[in-house]
Structure formats: structure tokens, C-alpha cells
Coordinates of all heavy atoms in Angstrom, one line a residue:
M28 N -7.3 -14.8 7.8 CA -6.2 -14.1 7.1 C -6.8 -13.0 6.3 O -7.7 -13.2 5.5 CB -5.4 -15.1 6.2 CG -4.2 -14.5 5.6 SD -3.3 -15.8 4.6 CE -2.5 -16.7 5.9
P29 N -6.3 -11.7 6.5 CA -6.9 -10.6 5.7 C -6.7 -10.7 4.2 O -5.7 -11.3 3.8 CB -6.1 -9.4 6.3 CG -5.5 -9.8 7.5 CD -5.3 -11.3 7.4
T30 N -7.6 -10.3 3.5 CA -7.5 -10.2 2.0 C -7.4 -8.7 1.6 O -8.2 -7.9 2.1 CB -8.7 -10.8 1.3 OG1 -8.8 -12.2 1.7 CG2 -8.6 -10.7 -0.2
I31 N -6.4 -8.4 0.9 CA -6.3 -7.1 0.3 C -6.5 -7.2 -1.2 O -5.8 -8.0 -1.8 CB -4.9 -6.5 0.6 CG1 -4.7 -6.4 2.1 CG2 -4.8 -5.1 0.0 CD1 -3.3 -6.0 2.5
T32 N -7.3 -6.3 -1.7 CA -7.5 -6.3 -3.2 C -6.9 -5.1 -3.8 O -7.3 -4.0 -3.5 CB -9.0 -6.4 -3.5 OG1 -9.6 -7.5 -2.9 CG2 -9.2 -6.4 -5.0
F33 N -5.8 -5.4 -4.5 CA -5.1 -4.3 -5.2 C -5.8 -4.1 -6.6 O -6.1 -5.1 -7.2 CB -3.6 -4.6 -5.4 CG -2.9 -4.7 -4.1 CD1 -2.8 -5.9 -3.4 CD2 -2.2 -3.6 -3.6 CE1 -2.1 -6.0 -2.3 CE2 -1.5 -3.7 -2.5 CZ -1.4 -4.9 -1.8
Q34 N -5.9 -2.9 -7.0 CA -6.4 -2.7 -8.4 C -5.3 -1.9 -9.1 O -4.7 -1.0 -8.7 CB -7.7 -1.8 -8.3 CG -8.8 -2.6 -7.6 CD -10.1 -1.8 -7.5 OE1 -10.1 -0.6 -7.7 NE2 -11.1 -2.5 -7.3
Y35 N -5.0 -2.5 -10.3 CA -4.0 -1.9 -11.2 C -4.6 -1.8 -12.6 O -4.9 -2.8 -13.2 CB -2.7 -2.7 -11.2 CG -1.6 -2.1 -11.9 CD1 -0.8 -1.0 -11.4 CD2 -1.2 -2.6 -13.2 CE1 0.2 -0.5 -12.1 CE2 -0.1 -2.1 -13.9 CZ 0.6 -1.0 -13.3 OH 1.6 -0.5 -14.0
G36 N -4.8 -0.6 -13.0 CA -5.6 -0.4 -14.3 C -6.9 -1.0 -14.1 O -7.6 -0.7 -13.1
D37 N -7.4 -1.8 -15.0 CA -8.7 -2.4 -14.9 C -8.7 -3.8 -14.3 O -9.6 -4.5 -14.3 CB -9.5 -2.4 -16.2 CG -8.7 -3.1 -17.3 OD1 -7.6 -3.6 -17.0 OD2 -9.3 -3.2 -18.4
Q38 N -7.5 -4.2 -13.8 CA -7.3 -5.5 -13.2 C -7.3 -5.5 -11.7 O -6.8 -4.5 -11.1 CB -6.0 -6.2 -13.7 CG -6.0 -6.5 -15.1 CD -4.8 -7.3 -15.5 OE1 -3.7 -6.8 -15.4 NE2 -4.9 -8.6 -15.8
S39 N -7.9 -6.5 -11.1 CA -7.9 -6.6 -9.6 C -7.0 -7.8 -9.2 O -7.0 -8.8 -9.9 CB -9.3 -6.9 -9.1 OG -10.1 -5.8 -9.3
F40 N -6.3 -7.6 -8.1 CA -5.4 -8.6 -7.6 C -5.7 -8.9 -6.1 O -5.1 -8.2 -5.2 CB -3.9 -8.2 -7.8 CG -3.6 -8.0 -9.2 CD1 -3.7 -6.7 -9.8 CD2 -3.1 -9.0 -10.0 CE1 -3.4 -6.5 -11.1 CE2 -2.7 -8.8 -11.3 CZ -2.9 -7.6 -11.9
P41 N -6.6 -9.8 -5.8 CA -6.8 -10.1 -4.3 C -5.7 -10.9 -3.8 O -5.3 -11.9 -4.4 CB -8.2 -10.8 -4.4 CG -8.3 -11.4 -5.7 CD -7.5 -10.5 -6.7
V42 N -5.1 -10.5 -2.7 CA -4.0 -11.3 -2.1 C -4.3 -11.6 -0.6 O -4.9 -10.8 0.1 CB -2.7 -10.6 -2.3 CG1 -2.4 -10.3 -3.7 CG2 -2.6 -9.3 -1.4
Q43 N -3.9 -12.7 -0.2 CA -3.9 -13.0 1.3 C -2.7 -12.4 1.9 O -1.6 -12.6 1.5 CB -3.9 -14.5 1.5 CG -5.1 -15.3 0.8 CD -6.4 -14.9 1.5 OE1 -6.5 -15.1 2.7 NE2 -7.3 -14.4 0.8
A44 N -2.9 -11.7 3.0 CA -1.8 -11.0 3.7 C -1.8 -11.5 5.1 O -2.7 -12.0 5.7 CB -2.1 -9.5 3.7
E45 N -0.6 -11.5 5.7 CA -0.3 -11.9 7.0 C -0.5 -10.7 8.0 O 0.1 -9.6 7.7 CB 1.1 -12.5 7.2 CG 1.4 -13.6 6.3 CD 0.8 -14.9 6.8 OE1 0.4 -15.0 8.0 OE2 0.7 -15.9 6.0
A46 N -1.3 -10.8 9.0 CA -1.3 -9.7 10.0 C 0.1 -9.5 10.5 O 0.8 -10.4 10.8 CB -2.3 -10.1 11.1
G47 N 0.4 -8.2 10.5 CA 1.8 -7.8 11.0 C 2.7 -7.5 9.9 O 3.7 -6.8 10.2
E48 N 2.5 -8.0 8.7 CA 3.4 -7.6 7.6 C 2.9 -6.3 7.0 O 1.8 -5.8 7.2 CB 3.5 -8.7 6.6 CG 2.3 -8.9 5.7 CD 2.5 -9.9 4.6 OE1 3.6 -10.3 4.3 OE2 1.4 -10.4 4.2
S49 N 3.8 -5.7 6.2 CA 3.4 -4.4 5.5 C 2.5 -4.8 4.3 O 2.7 -5.9 3.7 CB 4.6 -3.6 5.1 OG 5.3 -4.2 4.0
V50 N 1.7 -3.9 3.9 CA 0.9 -4.0 2.7 C 1.8 -4.2 1.5 O 1.6 -5.0 0.6 CB 0.0 -2.8 2.5 CG1 -0.7 -2.9 1.1 CG2 -1.1 -2.8 3.6
M51 N 3.0 -3.5 1.5 CA 4.0 -3.7 0.4 C 4.5 -5.1 0.4 O 4.6 -5.7 -0.7 CB 5.1 -2.7 0.6 CG 6.2 -2.7 -0.4 SD 7.4 -4.0 -0.1 CE 8.3 -3.3 1.2
M52 N 4.8 -5.7 1.5 CA 5.3 -7.1 1.5 C 4.3 -8.0 1.0 O 4.7 -9.0 0.2 CB 5.8 -7.5 2.9 CG 7.0 -6.8 3.4 SD 8.5 -7.1 2.3 CE 8.6 -8.9 2.5
A53 N 3.0 -7.8 1.3 CA 2.0 -8.7 0.8 C 1.9 -8.6 -0.7 O 1.8 -9.6 -1.5 CB 0.7 -8.4 1.4
A54 N 2.0 -7.4 -1.2 CA 2.0 -7.1 -2.7 C 3.2 -7.8 -3.4 O 3.1 -8.4 -4.4 CB 1.9 -5.6 -3.0
A55 N 4.4 -7.6 -2.8 CA 5.6 -8.1 -3.4 C 5.6 -9.6 -3.4 O 6.0 -10.2 -4.4 CB 6.8 -7.6 -2.6
R56 N 5.1 -10.2 -2.3 CA 5.0 -11.7 -2.3 C 4.1 -12.3 -3.4 O 4.4 -13.4 -3.8 CB 4.5 -12.1 -0.9 CG 4.9 -13.4 -0.4 CD 4.9 -13.7 1.1 NE 4.0 -12.8 1.8 CZ 2.7 -13.0 2.0 NH1 2.1 -14.0 1.3 NH2 2.0 -12.2 2.7
H57 N 3.1 -11.5 -3.8 CA 2.2 -12.0 -4.8 C 2.5 -11.3 -6.1 O 1.7 -11.4 -7.1 CB 0.8 -11.7 -4.3 CG 0.4 -12.5 -3.2 ND1 0.6 -12.2 -1.8 CD2 -0.2 -13.8 -3.1 CE1 0.1 -13.1 -1.0 NE2 -0.4 -14.1 -1.8
R58 N 3.6 -10.6 -6.2 CA 4.0 -10.0 -7.5 C 2.9 -9.1 -8.1 O 2.6 -9.2 -9.3 CB 4.5 -11.0 -8.5 CG 5.7 -11.8 -8.0 CD 6.2 -12.7 -9.1 NE 7.5 -13.2 -8.8 CZ 7.6 -14.4 -8.2 NH1 6.6 -15.2 -7.9 NH2 8.8 -14.9 -7.9
V59 N 2.3 -8.3 -7.2 CA 1.3 -7.3 -7.7 C 2.0 -6.3 -8.6 O 3.0 -5.6 -8.1 CB 0.6 -6.7 -6.5 CG1 -0.4 -5.6 -7.0 CG2 -0.2 -7.7 -5.7
P60 N 1.5 -6.1 -9.8 CA 2.2 -5.0 -10.6 C 2.0 -3.6 -10.1 O 1.0 -3.4 -9.5 CB 1.5 -5.2 -12.0 CG 0.2 -5.9 -11.7 CD 0.4 -6.7 -10.5
G61 N 2.9 -2.8 -10.4 CA 2.8 -1.4 -10.0 C 3.4 -1.0 -8.6 O 3.4 0.1 -8.3
I62 N 3.8 -2.0 -7.9 CA 4.4 -1.8 -6.6 C 5.8 -2.3 -6.7 O 6.1 -3.5 -6.5 CB 3.6 -2.4 -5.4 CG1 2.2 -1.8 -5.4 CG2 4.3 -2.2 -4.1 CD1 1.3 -2.2 -4.3
D63 N 6.7 -1.4 -7.0 CA 8.1 -1.8 -7.2 C 8.9 -1.9 -5.9 O 9.8 -2.7 -5.8 CB 8.8 -0.8 -8.2 CG 8.1 -0.7 -9.5 OD1 7.6 -1.8 -10.0 OD2 8.2 0.3 -10.2
A64 N 8.6 -1.0 -5.0 CA 9.3 -1.1 -3.7 C 10.8 -1.1 -3.8 O 11.4 -2.0 -3.2 CB 8.7 -2.3 -2.9
D65 N 11.3 -0.2 -4.5 CA 12.8 -0.2 -4.8 C 13.6 -0.2 -3.5 O 14.8 -0.7 -3.6 CB 13.1 1.0 -5.7 CG 12.6 0.8 -7.1 OD1 12.2 -0.3 -7.5 OD2 12.5 1.9 -7.8
C66 N 13.2 0.5 -2.5 CA 14.0 0.6 -1.3 C 13.8 -0.6 -0.3 O 14.4 -0.6 0.8 CB 13.8 1.9 -0.6 SG 12.3 2.1 0.4
G67 N 12.9 -1.5 -0.7 CA 12.7 -2.6 0.2 C 11.9 -2.3 1.5 O 11.9 -3.1 2.4
G68 N 11.2 -1.2 1.5 CA 10.4 -0.9 2.7 C 11.0 0.1 3.6 O 10.5 0.3 4.7
G69 N 12.1 0.8 3.2 CA 12.8 1.7 4.0 C 12.2 3.1 4.0 O 12.8 4.0 4.6
C70 N 11.1 3.3 3.4 CA 10.4 4.7 3.3 C 11.4 5.7 2.6 O 11.5 6.8 3.1 CB 10.0 5.1 4.7 SG 8.7 6.5 4.6
S71 N 12.0 5.3 1.6 CA 13.0 6.2 0.9 C 12.9 6.1 -0.6 O 13.9 6.5 -1.3 CB 14.4 5.9 1.4 OG 14.8 4.6 1.1
C72 N 11.8 5.7 -1.2 CA 11.7 5.6 -2.6 C 10.3 6.0 -3.2 O 10.2 6.5 -4.3 CB 12.1 4.3 -3.2 SG 10.8 3.0 -2.9
A73 N 9.3 5.8 -2.5 CA 7.9 6.2 -2.9 C 7.4 5.3 -4.1 O 6.4 5.6 -4.7 CB 7.7 7.6 -3.2
T74 N 8.1 4.2 -4.4 CA 7.7 3.3 -5.5 C 6.7 2.3 -5.0 O 6.3 1.4 -5.7 CB 8.8 2.7 -6.2 OG1 9.5 1.8 -5.3 CG2 9.8 3.7 -6.8
C75 N 6.2 2.4 -3.8 CA 5.2 1.5 -3.2 C 3.9 2.3 -3.0 O 3.0 1.9 -2.3 CB 5.6 0.9 -1.9 SG 5.9 2.1 -0.6
H76 N 3.8 3.4 -3.7 CA 2.6 4.3 -3.6 C 1.3 3.6 -4.0 O 1.2 2.9 -5.0 CB 2.8 5.5 -4.6 CG 1.7 6.5 -4.6 ND1 1.4 7.2 -5.8 CD2 0.9 6.9 -3.7 CE1 0.4 8.0 -5.5 NE2 0.1 7.9 -4.3
V77 N 0.3 3.8 -3.1 CA -1.0 3.2 -3.3 C -2.1 4.3 -3.0 O -1.7 5.3 -2.3 CB -1.3 1.9 -2.5 CG1 -0.4 0.8 -2.9 CG2 -1.2 2.2 -1.0
Y78 N -3.3 4.0 -3.4 CA -4.4 4.9 -2.9 C -5.2 4.0 -2.0 O -5.7 3.0 -2.4 CB -5.2 5.3 -4.1 CG -4.5 6.1 -5.1 CD1 -4.1 5.6 -6.4 CD2 -4.0 7.4 -4.8 CE1 -3.4 6.4 -7.3 CE2 -3.3 8.2 -5.7 CZ -3.0 7.6 -7.0 OH -2.2 8.4 -7.9
A79 N -5.4 4.5 -0.8 CA -6.1 3.7 0.2 C -7.5 4.3 0.3 O -7.7 5.5 0.5 CB -5.4 3.8 1.6
P80 N -8.6 3.4 0.3 CA -9.9 3.9 0.4 C -10.2 4.4 1.8 O -9.6 3.9 2.8 CB -10.8 2.7 0.1 CG -9.9 1.5 0.5 CD -8.5 2.0 0.2
E81 N -11.0 5.4 1.9 CA -11.3 6.0 3.2 C -11.8 5.0 4.2 O -11.5 5.0 5.4 CB -12.4 7.1 3.0 CG -12.5 8.1 4.2 CD -13.3 9.3 3.9 OE1 -13.2 9.8 2.8 OE2 -14.2 9.6 4.7
E82 N -12.6 4.0 3.7 CA -13.2 2.9 4.6 C -12.1 2.0 5.2 O -12.4 1.3 6.2 CB -14.2 2.1 3.9 CG -13.8 1.4 2.7 CD -14.0 2.2 1.4 OE1 -14.1 3.4 1.4 OE2 -14.0 1.5 0.3
A83 N -10.9 2.1 4.7 CA -9.8 1.3 5.3 C -9.5 1.9 6.7 O -8.9 1.2 7.6 CB -8.6 1.3 4.5
A84 N -9.8 3.2 7.0 CA -9.7 3.8 8.3 C -8.3 3.6 8.8 O -8.0 3.2 10.0 CB -10.7 3.3 9.3
L85 N -7.3 3.9 8.0 CA -5.9 3.7 8.4 C -5.5 4.8 9.4 O -6.0 5.9 9.3 CB -5.0 3.8 7.1 CG -5.2 2.7 6.1 CD1 -4.4 3.0 4.9 CD2 -5.0 1.4 6.6
P86 N -4.5 4.5 10.2 CA -3.9 5.6 11.0 C -3.3 6.6 10.2 O -2.9 6.4 9.0 CB -2.8 4.8 11.9 CG -3.0 3.4 11.6 CD -3.8 3.2 10.4
E87 N -3.1 7.8 10.7 CA -2.5 8.9 9.9 C -1.0 8.5 9.6 O -0.4 7.8 10.3 CB -2.5 10.2 10.8 CG -3.8 10.8 10.9 CD -4.4 11.3 9.6 OE1 -3.7 12.0 8.9 OE2 -5.6 10.9 9.3
P88 N -0.6 9.0 8.4 CA 0.8 8.7 8.0 C 1.8 9.5 9.0 O 1.5 10.5 9.5 CB 0.9 9.2 6.6 CG -0.2 10.2 6.4 CD -1.3 9.7 7.4
S89 N 2.9 8.9 9.2 CA 4.0 9.5 10.0 C 4.5 10.7 9.2 O 4.3 10.9 8.0 CB 5.1 8.6 10.3 OG 5.8 8.2 9.0
D90 N 5.3 11.6 9.9 CA 5.9 12.7 9.2 C 6.9 12.2 8.1 O 7.0 12.8 7.0 CB 6.7 13.6 10.2 CG 5.7 14.4 11.1 OD1 4.5 14.5 10.7 OD2 6.2 14.9 12.1
M91 N 7.6 11.1 8.4 CA 8.5 10.6 7.4 C 7.8 10.1 6.1 O 8.2 10.3 5.0 CB 9.3 9.4 8.0 CG 10.3 8.8 7.2 SD 11.4 7.6 8.0 CE 10.3 6.2 8.3
E92 N 6.6 9.4 6.3 CA 5.8 9.0 5.2 C 5.3 10.2 4.4 O 5.4 10.2 3.2 CB 4.7 8.1 5.6 CG 3.8 7.6 4.5 CD 2.7 6.7 4.9 OE1 2.6 6.3 6.1 OE2 1.9 6.4 4.0
K93 N 4.8 11.2 5.1 CA 4.3 12.4 4.4 C 5.4 13.0 3.6 O 5.2 13.4 2.5 CB 3.8 13.4 5.5 CG 2.5 13.0 6.1 CD 2.1 14.1 7.1 CE 0.9 13.6 8.0 NZ 0.7 14.6 9.1
D94 N 6.6 13.1 4.2 CA 7.7 13.7 3.4 C 8.0 12.9 2.2 O 8.3 13.5 1.1 CB 9.0 13.8 4.3 CG 8.9 14.9 5.4 OD1 8.0 15.7 5.3 OD2 9.7 14.8 6.3
M95 N 8.1 11.6 2.3 CA 8.4 10.8 1.1 C 7.3 10.8 0.1 O 7.5 10.7 -1.1 CB 8.7 9.3 1.6 CG 9.3 8.5 0.5 SD 10.7 9.1 -0.5 CE 11.8 9.5 0.8
L96 N 6.0 10.9 0.5 CA 4.9 11.0 -0.4 C 5.1 12.2 -1.4 O 4.5 12.1 -2.5 CB 3.6 11.1 0.3 CG 3.0 9.7 0.8 CD1 1.8 10.0 1.8 CD2 2.5 8.9 -0.4
D97 N 5.8 13.2 -1.0 CA 6.0 14.3 -1.9 C 6.7 13.9 -3.2 O 6.6 14.6 -4.2 CB 6.8 15.4 -1.2 CG 6.0 16.1 -0.1 OD1 4.7 16.1 -0.2 OD2 6.6 16.8 0.7
F98 N 7.4 12.8 -3.2 CA 8.1 12.3 -4.3 C 7.2 11.3 -5.2 O 7.7 10.9 -6.2 CB 9.4 11.6 -3.9 CG 10.3 12.5 -3.3 CD1 10.4 12.6 -1.9 CD2 11.2 13.3 -4.1 CE1 11.3 13.5 -1.3 CE2 12.1 14.1 -3.5 CZ 12.2 14.2 -2.1
A99 N 6.0 11.0 -4.8 CA 5.1 10.1 -5.5 C 4.4 10.8 -6.6 O 4.1 12.0 -6.5 CB 4.1 9.5 -4.6
D100 N 4.2 10.1 -7.7 CA 3.4 10.7 -8.8 C 2.0 10.6 -8.5 O 1.5 9.7 -7.8 CB 3.7 9.8 -10.1 CG 5.1 10.0 -10.6 OD1 5.7 11.1 -10.4 OD2 5.6 9.0 -11.2
A101 N 1.2 11.6 -9.1 CA -0.2 11.6 -9.0 C -0.8 11.5 -7.6 O -1.6 10.7 -7.2 CB -0.8 10.4 -9.9
L102 N -0.2 12.3 -6.7 CA -0.5 12.3 -5.3 C -2.0 12.8 -5.1 O -2.4 13.7 -5.8 CB 0.4 13.3 -4.6 CG 0.6 13.2 -3.1 CD1 1.2 11.9 -2.7 CD2 1.4 14.4 -2.6
T103 N -2.7 12.1 -4.3 CA -4.1 12.5 -3.9 C -4.2 12.5 -2.4 O -3.3 12.0 -1.7 CB -5.2 11.7 -4.5 OG1 -5.2 10.4 -3.8 CG2 -5.0 11.4 -6.0
D104 N -5.3 12.9 -1.8 CA -5.6 12.7 -0.4 C -5.6 11.3 0.1 O -5.4 11.0 1.2 CB -6.9 13.4 0.0 CG -6.8 14.9 -0.1 OD1 -5.7 15.5 -0.2 OD2 -7.9 15.5 -0.1
A105 N -5.8 10.4 -0.9 CA -5.8 8.9 -0.5 C -4.4 8.3 -0.7 O -4.3 7.1 -0.4 CB -6.8 8.2 -1.4
S106 N -3.4 9.0 -1.0 CA -2.1 8.5 -1.3 C -1.5 8.0 0.0 O -1.5 8.7 1.1 CB -1.2 9.5 -1.9 OG -1.6 9.8 -3.2
R107 N -0.9 6.8 0.0 CA -0.1 6.3 1.1 C 1.1 5.5 0.5 O 1.1 5.1 -0.7 CB -1.0 5.3 1.9 CG -2.2 6.0 2.6 CD -1.7 7.0 3.6 NE -0.9 6.5 4.7 CZ -1.3 6.1 5.9 NH1 -2.6 6.2 6.2 NH2 -0.5 5.6 6.8
L108 N 2.0 5.2 1.3 CA 3.1 4.3 1.0 C 2.8 3.0 1.6 O 2.7 2.8 2.8 CB 4.5 4.9 1.5 CG 4.9 6.2 0.9 CD1 6.2 6.6 1.5 CD2 5.0 6.1 -0.6
S109 N 2.7 2.0 0.7 CA 2.2 0.7 1.2 C 3.2 0.0 2.2 O 2.8 -0.8 3.0 CB 1.9 -0.3 0.1 OG 3.0 -0.5 -0.8
C110 N 4.5 0.4 2.1 CA 5.5 -0.2 3.1 C 5.3 0.4 4.5 O 5.8 -0.2 5.4 CB 6.9 0.1 2.6 SG 7.5 1.8 2.7
Q111 N 4.5 1.4 4.6 CA 4.3 2.0 5.9 C 2.9 1.7 6.5 O 2.5 2.2 7.6 CB 4.4 3.6 5.8 CG 5.8 4.0 5.3 CD 6.9 3.5 6.2 OE1 7.0 3.8 7.4 NE2 7.8 2.7 5.7
I112 N 2.2 0.8 5.8 CA 0.9 0.3 6.3 C 1.0 -1.1 6.8 O 1.4 -2.0 6.1 CB -0.2 0.4 5.2 CG1 -0.3 1.8 4.6 CG2 -1.5 0.0 5.8 CD1 -1.1 1.8 3.4
T113 N 0.8 -1.3 8.1 CA 0.8 -2.7 8.6 C -0.5 -3.3 8.5 O -1.6 -2.7 8.8 CB 1.2 -2.6 10.1 OG1 2.5 -1.9 10.2 CG2 1.3 -4.0 10.7
V114 N -0.5 -4.5 8.0 CA -1.7 -5.3 7.8 C -2.3 -5.7 9.2 O -1.6 -6.1 10.1 CB -1.5 -6.6 7.0 CG1 -2.7 -7.5 6.9 CG2 -0.9 -6.2 5.6
T115 N -3.6 -5.4 9.3 CA -4.3 -5.9 10.5 C -5.4 -6.8 10.1 O -5.3 -7.4 9.0 CB -4.8 -4.6 11.3 OG1 -5.7 -3.9 10.5 CG2 -3.7 -3.7 11.8
R116 N -6.4 -6.9 10.8 CA -7.4 -7.9 10.5 C -8.5 -7.3 9.5 O -9.5 -8.0 9.2 CB -8.1 -8.4 11.7 CG -7.1 -9.2 12.5 CD -7.7 -9.7 13.8 NE -9.0 -10.3 13.7 CZ -9.7 -10.6 14.7 NH1 -9.3 -10.5 15.9 NH2 -10.9 -11.2 14.5
W117 N -8.3 -6.2 9.0 CA -9.2 -5.6 8.0 C -9.0 -6.1 6.6 O -8.0 -6.6 6.3 CB -9.2 -4.1 8.0 CG -7.9 -3.4 8.0 CD1 -7.2 -2.9 9.1 CD2 -7.0 -3.2 6.9 NE1 -6.0 -2.4 8.7 CE2 -5.9 -2.6 7.4 CE3 -7.1 -3.5 5.5 CZ2 -4.8 -2.2 6.5 CZ3 -6.1 -3.2 4.7 CH2 -5.0 -2.5 5.2
T118 N -10.0 -6.0 5.8 CA -9.9 -6.3 4.4 C -10.1 -5.0 3.7 O -10.9 -4.2 4.0 CB -11.1 -7.3 4.0 OG1 -11.0 -8.5 4.8 CG2 -11.0 -7.6 2.5
A119 N -9.2 -4.8 2.7 CA -9.2 -3.5 2.0 C -9.0 -3.6 0.5 O -8.6 -4.7 0.0 CB -8.1 -2.6 2.6
S120 N -9.3 -2.6 -0.1 CA -9.0 -2.4 -1.5 C -8.0 -1.3 -1.7 O -8.2 -0.2 -1.1 CB -10.2 -2.1 -2.4 OG -11.1 -3.2 -2.3
L121 N -6.9 -1.6 -2.4 CA -5.9 -0.5 -2.6 C -5.7 -0.5 -4.1 O -5.7 -1.5 -4.8 CB -4.6 -0.9 -1.9 CG -4.8 -1.0 -0.4 CD1 -3.5 -1.6 0.2 CD2 -5.1 0.4 0.2
T122 N -5.4 0.7 -4.6 CA -5.1 0.9 -6.0 C -3.7 1.4 -6.2 O -3.1 2.0 -5.3 CB -6.1 1.8 -6.7 OG1 -6.0 3.1 -6.0 CG2 -7.5 1.3 -6.6
Ligands
FES226 S1 9.2 0.6 -0.5 FE1 10.3 2.4 -0.7 S2 9.1 3.9 0.2 FE2 7.9 2.1 0.4

């Protein structure tokens, strides 16, 4: 089972995720702070914004995700919407 380590401020939250679920769902199931996911994963709120490390080697975001990321605060090149990332067998750190 993949482990995703979320970092929020100076705290780390390692969570067990199910392959096939979204990173947002794994965070929500473990009540990770900072991931509100107001739209429930519909790619229409940007409140599931995370920073994905380059070593996660994620697929490129879709055009829909890119458009919604414009509404996220503190956007960087590492910004992603966690509801649009499907958990695979990798282990990652997300902030
Ligand atoms: S949960 Fe709303 S955009 Fe990801």
C-alpha cells in the first residue's frame, strides 16, 4: 500500500493510500489539514492544492487542472490539484 507523506507547516502526515484513489481522497480520509477539497474532487475549487516533488514523476496536468490551478494561492511550478492525481504504487511527499 503506497504511503504519501503530506507536510503542512512544520508537521508531517504520512498516510496509507489505496492505489486507484485520488491523493485528495487519501488526505481527506486521514483528515490531513490544509486540504479542504470543497468541491469533492470535481476540479472546480482548487482547495486541494498541493506541491508535488519532482521525484514523484507525475503525469502532466490536464488542461482542466491547469485552468483551475490559476485559482490556487501561492502557485509554483510544483503546484498540483490533489484530486487530479491518482495514487499508484509510488511513495511521495506532498506539501
Ligand atoms: S477538490 Fe476541488 S479542485 Fe480538487
Side-chain angles (χ1 to χ4, degrees):
M28 187 176 282
T30 299
I31 301 173
T32 302
F33 295 87
Q34 296 179 342
Y35 185 74
D37 60 357
Q38 291 186 294
S39 292
F40 299 89
V42 304
Q43 298 293 303
E45 302 283 342
E48 72 178 340
S49 71
V50 168
M51 178 278 287
M52 286 303 295
R56 202 159 26 80
H57 293 88
R58 297 188 171 93
V59 173
I62 300 188
D63 296 333
D65 291 341
C66 77
C70 199
S71 60
C72 72
T74 61
C75 64
H76 178 212
V77 295
Y78 300 109
E81 198 170 313
E82 60 268 21
L85 298 175
E87 288 296 310
S89 68
D90 289 343
M91 185 170 70
E92 182 181 352
K93 288 178 188 171
D94 288 346
M95 189 49 56
L96 276 168
D97 289 339
F98 295 95
D100 291 331
L102 199 65
T103 74
D104 289 344
S106 291
R107 296 297 302 262
L108 296 180
S109 60
C110 71
Q111 300 302 300
I112 304 170
T113 301
V114 174
T115 58
R116 293 175 49 187
W117 44 260
T118 300
S120 294
L121 300 170
T122 57

